[in-house]
């Protein structure tokens, strides 16, 4: 601009972000997760600048969530983690993103995962049972069976019973 005396001046109308952040990974792959199960992974954010940076907002969508709450300040040289969870509600592939609005700009991390059908299954070994042979009255014979979870979700054994009173 030029003032009344005819002197020109240049005014800075552009602001530049001096600090930078490193966000890793740029894609979080949760893989195959049974429907209604939940899996978490972390996103690491490192402040490589000489000044503190702030995450002003964290946006996550769909079957993906985060417990991180903005604003978050990251001091110079500091690394923080943002947990992201995936909880599929149907058997299908999912894709979304985490968007971080920061004082150093916007950062986007892609999120992928696939919901799997729940399979509750187990086997007992030996599958043919156990022949205890002849056991003397008022004595014990012990045998350990092996239970194997052959499904894709956790199974809790709550009790064991037998229809034979001798067991």
């Amino acid at each position: 601009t030029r003032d009344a005396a005819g002197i020109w001046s240049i005014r800075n109308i552009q602001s530049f972000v001096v600090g930078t952040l490193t966000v890793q990974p740029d894609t979080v792959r949760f893989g195959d997760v049974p429907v209604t199960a939940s899996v978490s992974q972390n996103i690491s954010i490192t402040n490589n600048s000489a000044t503190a940076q702030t995450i002003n907002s964290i946006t996550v969508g769909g079957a993906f969530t985060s417990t991180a709450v903005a604003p978050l300040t990251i001091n110079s040289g500091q690394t923080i983690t943002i947990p992201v969870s995936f909880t599929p509600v149907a058997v299908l592939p999912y894709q979304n993103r985490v968007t971080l609005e920061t004082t150093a700009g916007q950062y986007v991390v892609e999120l992928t995962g696939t919901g799997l059908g729940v399979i509750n299954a187990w086997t007992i070994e030996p599958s043919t049972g156990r022949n205890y042979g002849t056991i003397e009255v008022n004595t014990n014979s012990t045998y350990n069976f092996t239970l194997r979870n052959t499904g894709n979700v956790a199974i809790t054994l709550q009790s064991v019973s037998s229809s034979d009173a001798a067991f």
Side-chain angles (χ1 to χ4, degrees):
T1 59
R2 192 162 121 182
D3 66 13
I7 299 173
W8 287 93
S9 66
I10 298 174
R11 183 174 43 149
N12 180 9
I13 59 170
Q14 178 70 34
S15 61
F16 297 92
V17 177
V18 194
T20 58
L21 300 174
T22 301
V23 179
Q24 294 181 320
D26 61 356
T27 301
V28 178
R29 291 176 178 85
F30 287 92
D32 297 334
V33 178
V35 170
T36 71
S38 188
V39 176
S40 293
Q41 292 192 40
N42 289 325
I43 297 171
S44 296
I45 303 159
T46 302
N47 181 354
N48 301 310
S49 74
T51 59
Q53 301 294 324
T54 302
I55 299 173
N56 295 309
S57 71
I58 303 166
T59 307
V60 186
F64 304 94
T65 58
S66 179
T67 56
V69 178
L72 294 169
T73 300
I74 310 169
N75 294 319
S76 177
Q78 181 183 14
T79 298
I80 66 165
T81 58
I82 293 180
V84 178
S85 297
F86 172 50
T87 309
V89 295
V91 178
L92 52 91
Y94 290 82
Q95 185 172 346
N96 216 305
R97 59 182 46 156
V98 174
T99 303
L100 306 171
E101 298 291 343
T102 77
T103 51
Q106 183 183 80
Y107 294 84
V108 174
V109 177
E110 297 296 325
L111 306 171
T112 64
T114 302
L116 288 181
V118 174
I119 300 171
N120 293 307
W122 56 275
T123 59
I124 189 167
E125 296 169 4
S127 61
T128 57
R130 167 89 166 128
N131 183 348
Y132 286 88
T134 303
I135 307 290
E136 191 175 319
V137 174
N138 294 324
T139 63
N140 294 324
S141 178
T142 303
Y143 183 79
N144 292 322
F145 289 89
T146 301
L147 295 176
R148 294 197 194 284
N149 182 350
T150 57
N152 63 3
V153 293
I155 295 176
T156 302
L157 180 65
Q158 295 178 336
S159 66
V160 177
S161 63
S162 171
S163 59
D164 189 329
F167 296 94

